[in-house]
Amino acid sequence: MDSNKIGLFSNFKSDLSASLVVFLVAVPLCLGIALASGAPLFAGIISGIIGGILVGLISGSTVGVSGPAAGLAVIVLAGIQSLESFPVFLAAVVVSGIIQIILGFARAGIIGYYFPSSVIKGMLSAIGIIIFLKQIPHAVGYDADPEGDLEFFQPDGENTFSELFTMLDYIQEGALIIFVVSMIILILWEAPFMKRIKLFQVVQGPLIVVAAGIIINVLFKGSSLYIDQTHMVNLPVAATFGEFINQFTFFDPSAMLRKDVLILGGTIAVVGSLETLLCVEATDKLDPHKRITPTNRELIAQGTGNIFSGMIGGLPITQVIVRSSANIQSGGRTKLSAVFHGVLLLISAILIPNVLNMIPLSSLAAILIVVGYKLAKPSLFKKMFAAGKSEFIPYMVTILGIIFTDLLIGILLGLTVGIFQILYNNFRKPYVVETRNENGTTKLKLELSENLTFLNKASIIETISHIPDDTDITIDATRSHFIHPDIIEILEDFKQNAEYRQIKLEIIGLDKEHDNPMKELKKVAKEI
C-alpha cells in the first residue's frame, strides 16, 4: 500500500496523543515568535490555528506541522516598523500567499530537492542543538529571551552562549525543581519497562510533565519557590466571546498594490517558501515511513494559509521543524495530528486560556530539550563522520553556520561548501591518465569520463597546457556519453596547438554522436 495514502483516521489514538504534545509545544512558540516579531501576541495564535487546521488539511505532508516561523521574525519585525501599520503589514502577508500559490502552480517546489542530504541533516542537528541551548535558561527560570527565538543574537541583547552565563544570576529554585521533576518523568517514560505498560503507551509523558508542573507550582504557592506569571505561558485572555473576536485584526486591501508592500510580500514568499521546502525535506527524513511530500502542493497549501492568516491578523506561516519533529517523536502518523493541534489551539484560546497560563515555562523547557536531543544525537555525528569528508564537512559547516548566524545563512554556507566540493571533484576526475612505453617511446593516454560538463574545463585546460612538446598522446572519448560543447571546443583548439608544438595527437570517439540531455528531455516530453 502507498504509505502516502494512509487514511486520516487510521492511527487515531497515536495522532490524538501526538497532537496534544504538539499543541503544548506550539502555544509558547506561537506567543514567543509573535513577541520577537513585534506583533500582537494573538497574531501568533492565529497563525498557529490556521497553520494547523487549514494548511494541515490542504498539505500533502502527513507529519509536517505548520505555524508562525521563527526564521521570518526579523523580516516581520522590520516590515511592521517600516510600514508603520499592522493592517498594511498584513496586506504584505496576503501578497506573499498569492505569490506562493503561483510558485506552487509553476512547480517551483522542486528547488528543495537540490539541497544535499548532508546539509539537511546538518540543519536538523543544528536546530536540535539550538533548541537544547535556548531552553536551558527557561529551565532555571530566566525567561528574558522569548520562546521560539532561534537566532544567535537575541532580542534581550545577549547571544545563545552569553545567555547561559547571564542566567546564573537569575536562577529560580522553584523553576529548577519543576524542570528536574519534568526531566525525570520524561526519562522514565522512555525506559523500556514503562513502554511495556499499556497505560503509558497511550498517555504521553509531556502531558504528565505539564500536569505535574502546574500541580507542583500550586503547592509552592505562598512560598519563595512559587513561580509567578512572568515565568509561565502568557496567552491573551478574553473575558467574553466578543472580546475574543476583537483580538482579530483585518488587513488593509487598499495597500496590496503599494510598491513597498509588494516588495515585502515577495521577500516573505521567497524566504518562507525556501524554509518550508527545507523543512519538508528534513521532515520526510524523520518520518518513520519515509513518505514523500508533494512540494508543489505544499507551496499551494502554505500560500493559502498565508492569505487567510494575513486577512484576519496572523503572522506568516511556514512548515516548521520544531513542531514537526515533536509530532513525529510523539507518534504522529497522519495529518490528523497537525489538524487537531490547530483545533486545540482554537478551543483553548476561546475556552481555557487561564488554565494554559498556569503552565510553567520550565516544564515546557524539559519537553523541548528532549526534542532537541533527539534531533542532535551523538550517534548521528559519528555516522556522518564515518561517511567521509564529503559528507561530514558540509554537515558541520551547516551546523556551525546555523548556530552562529541563522537558519538560511547556515544552510547557504553548507550548500556553498557542497558546491565547492563538486567543483573540486570535477576538477580532479574528468579523465584517467595512462602512461605506457612502446619501443622506447613514452606515450600518454587520456581516457575521458562518461560525462564532461563545463565544470571540467579548468582541469582539462590545465592538463593539456602542461603536456610537453614532442609528446605522443591519445585522447580517448569512446566511453563518454555526454561532452559539453565547451570541452569539444577546447579539444578542437588543442588539435591546432598540437601541430605547432610538434605533439603527435590522436583523438578517438570525439566524432561519434554524444547524448544531448535536452534532446532526450524533449523526446520524453513528447511521449508523455
Side-chain angles (χ1 to χ4, degrees):
M1 186 177 84
D2 184 353
S3 59
N4 272 0
K5 296 182 179 178
I6 294 175
L8 187 63
F9 296 98
S10 58
N11 292 272
F12 182 77
K13 288 182 179 179
S14 59
D15 284 337
L16 182 62
S17 60
S19 70
L20 291 169
V21 176
V22 178
F23 159 70
L24 293 173
V25 169
V27 171
L29 293 182
C30 287
L31 297 171
I33 291 168
L35 182 63
S37 302
L41 293 181
F42 195 67
I45 299 297
I46 293 171
S47 52
I49 293 169
I50 292 176
I53 300 174
L54 183 60
V55 177
L57 287 171
I58 301 173
S59 169
S61 177
T62 48
V63 289
V65 183
S66 297
L72 289 172
V74 174
I75 295 173
V76 172
L77 178 62
I80 293 173
Q81 290 174 348
S82 64
L83 296 176
E84 299 180 345
S85 168
F86 192 57
V88 173
F89 166 76
L90 295 176
V93 178
V94 174
V95 169
S96 74
I98 295 171
I99 294 172
Q100 283 185 301
I101 290 176
I102 293 170
L103 290 173
F105 281 112
R107 300 185 178 276
I110 196 173
I111 293 170
Y113 297 137
Y114 288 95
F115 287 83
S117 178
S118 58
V119 173
I120 300 299
K121 290 176 182 177
M123 180 186 80
L124 286 170
S125 295
I127 290 175
I129 293 168
I130 291 172
I131 293 171
F132 194 98
L133 294 173
K134 294 280 190 181
Q135 291 304 314
I136 293 174
H138 295 295
V140 300
Y142 184 59
D143 303 302
D145 184 39
E147 287 278 10
D149 174 36
L150 299 180
E151 302 282 333
F152 181 68
F153 294 105
Q154 301 176 171
D156 64 342
E158 303 286 346
N159 61 54
T160 303
F161 294 104
S162 68
E163 187 92 338
L164 300 177
F165 295 99
T166 303
M167 75 178 190
L168 298 175
D169 296 326
Y170 299 94
I171 293 176
Q172 294 201 347
E173 290 83 358
L176 185 56
I177 291 170
I178 290 174
F179 170 74
V180 171
V181 171
S182 299
M183 286 301 300
I184 291 171
I185 292 171
L186 291 172
I187 291 169
L188 283 174
W189 230 261
E190 293 291 321
F193 77 90
M194 291 285 281
K195 291 185 177 181
R196 287 193 290 268
I197 303 171
K198 193 169 183 180
L199 174 64
F200 298 137
Q201 292 174 3
V202 177
V203 181
Q204 290 285 339
L207 303 181
I208 305 301
V209 163
V210 168
I214 293 173
I215 293 169
I216 293 171
N217 198 42
V218 169
L219 295 176
F220 284 162
K221 199 162 189 178
S223 73
S224 61
L225 296 176
Y226 180 72
I227 305 171
D228 62 35
Q229 190 58 51
T230 58
H231 305 292
M232 292 189 278
V233 170
N234 190 22
L235 194 67
V237 177
T240 65
F241 185 72
E243 286 186 18
F244 173 77
I245 295 298
N246 288 336
Q247 293 182 91
F248 291 85
T249 304
F250 298 98
F251 80 119
D252 181 1
S254 65
M256 288 181 62
L257 296 179
R258 279 174 42 176
K259 183 179 178 181
D260 51 354
V261 170
L262 290 172
I263 291 172
L264 179 60
T267 302
I268 293 172
V270 171
V271 176
S273 297
L274 185 55
E275 286 201 18
T276 289
L277 294 173
L278 291 168
C279 183
V280 163
E281 278 283 286
T283 302
D284 286 351
K285 288 187 182 301
L286 293 174
D287 179 12
H289 297 296
K290 303 303 178 188
R291 290 162 287 192
I292 299 173
T293 299
T295 52
N296 296 315
R297 178 176 168 182
E298 188 65 27
L299 289 178
I300 294 169
Q302 298 295 335
T304 305
N306 276 319
I307 289 173
F308 280 89
S309 182
M311 289 175 68
I312 62 174
L315 298 175
I317 295 169
T318 69
Q319 190 176 126
V320 279
I321 196 62
V322 179
R323 272 157 276 192
S324 299
S325 57
N327 182 33
I328 295 166
Q329 292 172 18
S330 303
R333 291 295 177 265
T334 75
K335 63 167 67 180
L336 179 66
S337 56
V339 173
F340 197 63
H341 115 275
V343 173
L344 288 174
L345 279 171
L346 177 60
I347 293 172
S348 61
I350 298 172
L351 300 179
I352 56 168
N354 287 314
V355 175
L356 294 179
N357 287 344
M358 295 174 67
I359 301 174
L361 292 178
S362 55
S363 292
L364 298 175
I367 298 170
L368 286 167
I369 281 175
V370 171
V371 170
Y373 174 77
K374 288 182 177 181
L375 286 174
K377 285 183 177 179
S379 59
L380 180 56
F381 285 81
K382 293 179 182 177
K383 183 179 177 181
M384 295 303 294
F385 183 77
K389 291 181 180 179
S390 62
E391 291 289 300
F392 188 67
I393 292 175
Y395 173 73
M396 286 304 302
V397 168
T398 304
I399 290 174
L400 295 173
I402 292 175
I403 289 174
F404 288 102
T405 57
D406 61 31
L407 184 66
L408 287 181
I409 291 176
I411 288 169
L412 290 175
L413 287 172
L415 182 62
T416 300
V417 171
I419 290 171
F420 270 110
Q421 284 188 320
I422 292 171
L423 292 172
Y424 178 68
N425 289 332
N426 273 278
F427 181 81
R428 288 194 311 153
K429 301 177 181 179
Y431 52 79
V432 176
V433 179
E434 180 185 327
T435 304
R436 64 185 188 279
N437 193 296
E438 291 183 8
N439 301 322
T441 304
T442 301
K443 294 189 175 183
L444 290 177
K445 181 180 180 182
L446 266 65
E447 186 174 358
L448 302 181
S449 60
E450 293 185 357
N451 295 288
L452 286 93
T453 70
F454 68 92
L455 297 175
N456 301 121
K457 285 172 61 178
S459 180
I460 290 178
I461 290 173
E462 181 78 6
T463 299
I464 62 177
S465 66
H466 285 87
I467 293 175
D469 294 348
D470 303 310
T471 302
D472 191 334
I473 181 170
T474 300
I475 298 177
D476 187 353
T478 53
R479 290 180 63 248
S480 301
H481 297 301
F482 172 73
I483 301 179
H484 192 276
D486 286 4
I487 305 298
I488 294 175
E489 185 178 338
I490 290 169
L491 296 178
E492 294 290 349
D493 290 345
F494 182 49
K495 268 187 184 180
Q496 299 179 31
N497 183 252
E499 294 179 12
Y500 173 75
R501 294 168 55 192
Q502 306 301 312
I503 294 175
K504 186 179 179 182
L505 173 64
E506 181 183 13
I507 300 179
I508 305 171
L510 193 63
D511 54 349
K512 75 172 185 177
E513 185 177 346
H514 296 282
D515 293 343
N516 185 330
M518 290 308 297
K519 187 186 293 183
E520 292 298 318
L521 283 173
K522 289 177 182 177
K523 182 180 177 183
V524 172
K526 284 182 180 179
E527 291 175 356
I528 293 174

